[in-house]
C-alpha cells in the first residue's frame, strides 16, 4: 500500500499538465487543426490524478472517451497525445485513434472506447486473466454515471463480484449524460448503493479533492490486491465545459451557472498550488509550458500517415 | 472416424493441453450435455477455472472474453444458439473488431466465438437463425463455417491460434456426422474454400449444412447426366471468391446456396464479385437461401422455408437448360428425420 501522503509537487505537475493541455485545446480548436471530437476532462482532473498516483506501475487502466485526464495522469506520452490529436503518424496510434481512443501500452493504459460502458466488461475480463494467472496487479476502470444506465455495467459488476476479481470501478459522477441529469435517467438510490447490493465494498464521496481520492484509491487497491475482490468508488465531480467540444454550455439552461462557480471555487489546481511555495509553483508552471510547447511542436512537425497506412492493423 | 462434436472436443483438448492461456466459457459448457459433446468433461480434465458456466449475460460475457484476450488469454466463448449473438453485437463489432486498428496494432483480441445454427424440429423464429452475413460485413472479424468433422477440428485449432477474433458457425445437424479426422493437431487455412466434388457442368456452392444439400443435389443431377462441382466455402471471412470464380469459369454455371437469407448473404457477395470480374457476362448464376420471411415453427412450412437438395437441383437444371421434371425423387435427409431435439 502507498504510505504517508500524496506527493503534492508531482500531483500539481500532473494537474497543471492536464489543465493547460485542455486550455490549449480550447484555444486552438477553432483553427480546426484537431478535426475530431474532444471530450474535455477540465474540472475532473483531480480524480484522475489522485487515483493514478495511488496505483502501481503494473496495474492496468481502462478509460473512456473522456480520457485526457486519465491518460496524462497515468503518465501517457504528452507528445504522442498531441500528435494523435493532430492526426499525425507520430501519434500514439498513428492518427487512427484520436482523442476518444487514447492508448499507451508503456504505462498499461488500454485503448479507450467511445461507446458508453463498453470497455467495462473488457476491464473485468482483464481482471479475470490476472486472477487466472495469479498476478498481483489490479485493474482500474474509470467510468461515468451514464455508464450505470447501461445493462452491461450491472452484468459486469455481477461477474466481477461473483468471481472476486481484482478490479476497482471508479465512477466519476459528473451528474450529466450530455444534457440529461442522473435523476432524469435513473430510478432508486445512488450507483454505489446499488453496487453494494452485489456484496462488494462500494462508497459514495461528494466532490473529493486530490488527496482524498489518493487515500480512497490507495486503501481500495490494497484490499483488492490482497484478494478481497472488487470495489467501487463513486465520486461526484463537475464537468466545466460542454459534453463534447470546447463550448461553455451553461447558456443552454440545463444547469445552473452557480454550479460552475462552486466547482471553480474548489478547483484543485489552485488548491494544490497554494500548498507549494511560489517558487515551486513557478518552476512547475514553467516546466509544464515548456513540455506543452515541445509536444505541440512535435505534433505540428509530424507527418500525416501516407495512404499506404489505411489498410494496416486489421486483417483483410 | 470421429463425429463433428467429438472432433471439436479433440481440438479443444489438444489446445488446452498445449497452451495454458486457452479456456472455454459459455452457458452450459460444463453441463452433462457439453454442447453436443464438444466441451464434455473439460472442467474435470482442466479444472473449473478453465471451463466454466456463465451468467445469462451475453453482452458482458462477450466483453469479458474480449478483455481476457486483451490480456493475452485465448478464450473460447460458446453459444448454444447463434440468435443469442444479437446480444453480443456491440462487443463483437464495436470492441473486439476495433481494438487492433484503433491502437495501430498495439493490442490484439485472440478470442474465439462458437455458435450453433440451424434448422429442424421446430426451432422457430428465434432459435434457427444463422446471421453470419452480419459478421462478414465487419473488418476485423473472421468467420468460419466448417461442414465436415475434419474441418471442425482444423477450424477450431486455427481460430484459437489466430490473433484476431474468429467466429465459428456450427450447424446443429452436423454434430453427429462422422468423418475421418487426423489425430494430430492441424489448422485449416483461412480464406480457402474446399472443392468436395469435381464436376464440369455446374458449380454448386454451399455454406455449412447447405453443402450437404449441394452434395445430395449433385447426386440427383448425376442421374440426369449433369456433372456438378460442389464447393464448401468453409471460410466466409476472408472469403475465397477466387476458388468459386475459377470453378464457375470452367462450368459456366453457378448456384450459391446460403444458409441464411439471400439478401446481402454470401451468395450476394460472390455474385457481385463475379459480376465485377471479366467472367461476369459468361457465367449464369443463381442465389438460393432461406425464404425471405421469419422462420416458421410448424414442419410443413419449415420444410419449404429452407433450401433443399431438390430446390438446389431444380435451379441447376434450369441453368443447364434442362427440365426439372426429369429429376428423380429423394428421401428427406436422415439427420433431419433423426433430429428430435429437444435442444
Amino acid at each position: 500500500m502507498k504510505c504517508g501522503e500524496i506527493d503534492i509537487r508531482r500531483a500539481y505537475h500532473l494537474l497543471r499538465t492536464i489543465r493547460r493541455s485542455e486550455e490549449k485545446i480550447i484555444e486552438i480548436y477553432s483553427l480546426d487543426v484537431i478535426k475530431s471530437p474532444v471530450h474535455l476532462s477540465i474540472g475532473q482532473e483531480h480524480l484522475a490524478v489522485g487515483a493514478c498516483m495511488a496505483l502501481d506501475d503494473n496495474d492496468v487502466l481502462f478509460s473512456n472517451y473522456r480520457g485526457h485526464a486519465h491518460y496524462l495522469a497515468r503518465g501517457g506520452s504528452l507528445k504522442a497525445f498531441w500528435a494523435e490529436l493532430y492526426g499525425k503518424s507520430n501519434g500514439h496510434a498513428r492518427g487512427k485513434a484520436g482523442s476518444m481512443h487514447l492508448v499507451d501500452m508503456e504505462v498499461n493504459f488500454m485503448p479507450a472506447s467511445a461507446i458508453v460502458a463498453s470497455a467495462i466488461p473488457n476491464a473485468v475480463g482483464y481482471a479475470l486473466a490476472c486472477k487466472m494467472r495469479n498476478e498481483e496487479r489490479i485493474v482500474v476502470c474509470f467510468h461515468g454515471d451514464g455508464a450505470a444506465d447501461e445493462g452491461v455495467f450491472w452484468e459486469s459488476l455481477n461477474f466481477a463480484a461473483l468471481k472476486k476479481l481484482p478490479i476497482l470501478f471508479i465512477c466519476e459522477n459528473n451528474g450529466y449524460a450530455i444534457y440529461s441529469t442522473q435523476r432524469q435517467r435513473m430510478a432508486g438510490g445512488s450507483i454505489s448503493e446499488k453496487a453494494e447490493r452485489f456484496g462488494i465494498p462500494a462508497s459514495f464521496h461528494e466532490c473529493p479533492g486530490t488527496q482524498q481520492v489518493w487515500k480512497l484509491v490507495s486503501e481500495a487497491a490494497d484490499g483488492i490486491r490482497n484478494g478481497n475482490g472488487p470495489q467501487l468508488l463513486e465520486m461526484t465531480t463537475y464537468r466545466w465545459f460542454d459534453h463534447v467540444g470546447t463550448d461553455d454550455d451553461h447558456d443552454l439552461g440545463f444547469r445552473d451557472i452557480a454550479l460552475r462557480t462552486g466547482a471553480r471555487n474548489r478547483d484543485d489546481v489552485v488548491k494544490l498550488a497554494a500548498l507549494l511555495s511560489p517558487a515551486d509553483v513557478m518552476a512547475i508552471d514553467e516546466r509544464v509550458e515548456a513540455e506543452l510547447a515541445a509536444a505541440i511542436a512535435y505534433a505540428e512537425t509530424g507527418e500525416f500517415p501516407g495512404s499506404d497506412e489505411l489498410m494496416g492493423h486489421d486483417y483483410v | 472416424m470421429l463425429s463433428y462434436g467429438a472432433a471439436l472436443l479433440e481440438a479443444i483438448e489438444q489446445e488446452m493441453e498445449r497452451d495454458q492461456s486457452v479456456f472455454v466459457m459459455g452457458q452450459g459448457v460444463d453441463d452433462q450435455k457439453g454442447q453436443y459433446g464438444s466441451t464434455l468433461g473439460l472442467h474435470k480434465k482442466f479444472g473449473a477455472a478453465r471451463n466454466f458456466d456463465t451468467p445469462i449475460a451475453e453482452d458482458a460475457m462477450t466483453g469479458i472474453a474480449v478483455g481476457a484476450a486483451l490480456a493475452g488469454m485465448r478464450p473460447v466463448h460458446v453459444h448454444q444458439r447463434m440468435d443469442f449473438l444479437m446480444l453480443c453485437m456491440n462487443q463483437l463489432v464495436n470492441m473486439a473488431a476495433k481494438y487492433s486498428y484503433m491502437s495501430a496494432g498495439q493490442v490484439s483480441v485472440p478470442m474465439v466465438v462458437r455458435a450453433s445454427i440451424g434448422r429442424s424440429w421446430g426451432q422457430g423464429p428465434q432459435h434457427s437463425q444463422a446471421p453470419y452475413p452480419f459478421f462478414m460485413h465487419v473488418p476485423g472479424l473472421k468467420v468460419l463455417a466448417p461442414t465436415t468433422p475434419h474441418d471442425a477440428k482444423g477450424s477450431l485449432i486455427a481460430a484459437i491460434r489466430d490473433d484476431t477474433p474468429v467466429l465459428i458457425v456450427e450447424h446443429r445437424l452436423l454434430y453427429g456426422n462422422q468423418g475421418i479426422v487426423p489425430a494430430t493437431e492441424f489448422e485449416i487455412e483461412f480464406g480457402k474454400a474446399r472443392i468436395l466434388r469435381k464436376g464440369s457442368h455446374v458449380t454448386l456452392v454451399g455454406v455449412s449444412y447447405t453443402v450437404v444439400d449441394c452434395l445430395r443435389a449433385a447426386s440427383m443431377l448425376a442421374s440426369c447426366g449433369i456433372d456438378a462441382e460442389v464447393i464448401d466455402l468453409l471460410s466466409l471471412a476472408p472469403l475465397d471468391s477466387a476458388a468459386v470464380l475459377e470453378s464457375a469459369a470452367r462450368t459456366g454455371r453457378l448456384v450459391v446456396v446460403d444458409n441464411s437469407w439471400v439478401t446481402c448473404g454470401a451468395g450476394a457477395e460472390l455474385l457481385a464479385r463475379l459480376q465485377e470480374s471479366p467472367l461476369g457476362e459468361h457465367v449464369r448464376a443463381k442465389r438460393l437461401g432461406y425464404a425471405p420471411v421469419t422462420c416458421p415453427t410448424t414442419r410443413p412450412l419449415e420444410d419449404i422455408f429452407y433450401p433443399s437438395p431438390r430446390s438446389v437441383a431444380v435451379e441447376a437444371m434450369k441453368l443447364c437448360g434442362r427440365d426439372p421434371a426429369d429429376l428423380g425423387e429423394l428421401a428427406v435427409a436422415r439427420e433431419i428425420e433423426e433430429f428430435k431435439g429437444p435442444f
Side-chain angles (χ1 to χ4, degrees):
Chain A
M1 178 171 168
K2 305 271 179 187
C3 297
E5 295 292 327
I6 188 171
D7 177 350
I8 298 288
R9 214 179 296 250
R10 177 162 161 66
Y12 176 70
H13 180 241
L14 289 170
L15 282 171
R16 182 80 186 176
T17 301
I18 301 164
R19 175 64 55 85
R20 288 294 298 132
S21 289
E22 300 290 58
E23 287 174 347
K24 196 72 192 172
I25 291 168
I26 294 168
E27 187 186 320
I28 66 169
Y29 207 54
S30 62
L31 302 176
D32 201 29
V33 287
I34 292 180
K35 294 186 195 300
S36 180
V38 289
H39 300 75
L40 299 178
S41 302
I42 202 161
Q44 305 185 189
E45 303 95 331
H46 57 289
L47 301 183
V49 170
C52 289
M53 285 184 67
L55 300 174
D56 288 350
D57 288 347
N58 66 343
D59 292 337
V60 177
L61 271 84
F62 280 82
S63 174
N64 51 63
Y65 54 85
R66 195 178 306 286
H68 297 181
H70 306 143
Y71 171 96
L72 294 172
R74 179 59 176 176
S77 161
L78 184 67
K79 284 183 170 177
F81 167 80
W82 272 94
E84 189 67 27
L85 290 183
Y86 272 65
K88 300 292 184 70
S89 59
N90 53 348
H92 60 70
R94 307 190 64 76
K96 288 178 168 176
S99 160
M100 294 196 283
H101 310 292
L102 302 176
V103 52
D104 191 338
M105 298 305 288
E106 294 281 310
V107 292
N108 295 316
F109 190 89
M110 302 302 292
S113 166
I115 309 227
V116 172
S118 291
I120 293 174
N122 305 159
V124 172
Y126 205 113
L128 174 68
C130 293
K131 180 159 181 166
M132 288 177 87
R133 297 189 295 227
N134 292 315
E135 294 172 350
E136 281 206 359
R137 62 167 76 178
I138 70 165
V139 176
V140 173
C141 178
F142 288 104
H143 62 85
D145 50 301
D149 289 5
E150 296 279 4
V152 76
F153 170 71
W154 301 103
E155 293 179 14
S156 300
L157 207 57
N158 175 60
F159 189 79
L162 184 72
K163 301 284 181 183
K164 287 201 179 314
L165 300 181
I167 181 166
L168 173 62
F169 300 93
I170 299 182
C171 176
E172 298 176 314
N173 185 342
N174 67 19
Y176 297 89
I178 307 185
Y179 308 135
S180 310
T181 65
Q182 189 184 347
R183 286 296 140 232
Q184 283 173 307
R185 312 181 326 261
M186 198 179 293
S190 72
I191 293 162
S192 46
E193 276 168 15
K194 291 170 188 158
E196 207 174 7
R197 297 303 177 95
F198 287 85
I200 66 169
S203 50
F204 180 88
H205 306 275
E206 186 82 38
C207 297
T210 311
Q211 298 101 312
Q212 194 191 344
V213 174
W214 183 84
K215 257 195 175 56
L216 288 167
V217 174
S218 294
E219 285 167 13
D222 194 38
I224 295 165
R225 229 179 281 287
N226 289 335
N228 297 334
Q231 298 194 28
L232 181 141
L233 293 171
E234 179 179 8
M235 306 190 267
T236 61
T237 183
Y238 195 75
R239 184 186 83 210
W240 289 12
F241 284 82
D242 205 339
H243 158 71
V244 62
T246 57
D247 291 340
D248 181 343
D249 60 9
H250 289 78
D251 60 332
L252 299 178
F254 74 99
R255 53 182 185 171
D256 194 334
I257 194 83
L259 293 168
R260 187 183 68 176
T261 310
R264 292 200 175 202
N265 286 342
R266 56 172 188 269
D267 183 5
D268 259 25
V269 181
V270 176
K271 280 188 179 172
L272 263 66
L275 298 176
L276 297 169
S277 73
D280 270 354
V281 172
M282 194 181 293
I284 292 171
D285 288 358
E286 278 175 12
R287 192 176 140 201
V288 168
E289 292 312 308
E291 287 165 344
L292 192 54
I296 292 170
Y298 178 79
E300 284 173 346
T301 55
E303 300 284 335
F304 283 109
S307 56
D308 58 325
E309 292 219 33
L310 174 66
M311 299 303 287
H313 309 120
D314 257 348
Y315 93 89
V316 272
Chain B
M1 296 280 275
L2 279 182
S3 72
Y4 189 97
L8 288 167
L9 180 62
E10 187 169 275
I12 191 64
E13 284 181 339
Q14 287 175 346
E15 287 302 280
M16 289 176 82
E17 201 78 60
R18 184 187 64 82
D19 183 351
Q20 286 292 314
S21 65
V22 178
F23 69 96
V24 179
M25 54 184 264
Q27 291 164 31
V29 292
D30 58 355
D31 71 13
Q32 293 74 4
K33 292 184 178 167
Q35 183 72 0
Y36 300 97
S38 67
T39 61
L40 209 57
L42 291 177
H43 60 293
K44 289 182 186 151
K45 197 164 177 182
F46 298 100
R50 292 180 69 197
N51 178 224
F52 59 87
D53 190 20
T54 65
I56 309 162
E58 287 86 352
D59 187 0
M61 291 317 305
T62 305
I64 285 162
V66 171
L70 285 171
M73 300 297 284
R74 292 187 179 265
V76 178
H77 190 194
V78 182
H79 295 270
Q80 295 166 345
R81 294 286 187 278
M82 192 169 178
D83 311 69
F84 306 160
L85 289 196
M86 300 304 98
L87 293 155
C88 313
M89 288 302 264
N90 180 48
Q91 285 298 326
L92 292 174
V93 175
N94 286 328
M95 307 304 284
K98 300 292 186 284
Y99 265 116
S100 176
Y101 195 88
M102 72 184 184
S103 68
Q106 292 177 72
V107 298
S108 58
V109 183
M111 70 185 284
V112 180
V113 176
R114 289 180 45 201
S116 289
I117 59 168
R119 62 179 292 178
S120 276
W121 207 71
Q123 299 293 330
Q126 297 175 328
H127 271 30
S128 61
Q129 298 171 95
Y132 56 83
F134 295 7
F135 299 94
M136 291 170 64
H137 185 67
V138 181
L141 298 177
K142 292 180 182 173
V143 185
L144 299 175
T147 306
T148 62
H150 175 280
D151 288 345
K153 179 174 177 180
S155 291
L156 184 51
I157 293 177
I160 289 170
R161 295 181 184 182
D162 197 84
D163 284 338
T164 51
V166 182
L167 177 62
I168 302 181
V169 180
E170 303 164 7
H171 199 290
R172 169 180 315 114
L173 292 179
L174 296 174
Y175 286 108
N177 281 4
Q178 301 278 323
I180 293 168
V181 181
T184 51
E185 300 163 23
F186 67 96
E187 299 174 53
I188 63 102
E189 194 177 340
F190 286 99
K192 278 282 172 218
R194 290 204 187 287
I195 298 177
L196 295 187
R197 185 185 195 281
K198 292 295 277 183
S200 55
H201 296 143
V202 59
T203 303
L204 308 179
V205 179
V207 176
S208 185
Y209 185 71
T210 65
V211 174
V212 178
D213 289 330
C214 289
L215 287 168
R216 289 182 176 137
S219 299
M220 295 175 78
L221 292 164
S223 58
C224 294
I226 292 175
D227 187 18
E229 180 143 308
V230 176
I231 295 179
D232 178 353
L233 278 178
L234 176 55
S235 175
L236 299 172
L239 182 66
D240 190 2
S241 46
V244 174
L245 266 54
E246 189 278 327
S247 173
R250 282 189 280 105
T251 63
R253 302 174 185 92
L254 174 64
V255 181
V256 184
V257 191
D258 257 297
N259 209 322
S260 192
W261 291 289
V262 173
T263 302
C264 301
E269 183 59 29
L270 285 169
L271 264 62
R273 294 190 193 184
L274 172 71
Q275 195 57 40
E276 287 172 344
S277 79
L279 286 174
E281 51 194 299
H282 306 295
V283 176
R284 297 187 63 204
K286 174 73 185 173
R287 292 174 294 159
L288 287 178
Y290 295 177
V293 288
T294 296
C295 178
T297 300
T298 185
R299 178 68 188 263
L301 296 182
E302 188 184 51
D303 280 347
I304 55 172
F305 171 80
Y306 290 106
S308 65
R310 169 165 290 279
S311 70
V312 176
V314 163
E315 293 306 328
M317 288 287 273
K318 288 183 191 166
L319 288 184
C320 292
R322 296 279 302 274
D323 184 358
D326 294 344
L327 287 166
E329 287 304 312
L330 185 75
V332 175
R334 169 189 54 78
E335 63 276 7
I336 293 176
E337 289 303 345
E338 285 178 359
F339 190 88
K340 297 296 174 201
F343 211 54

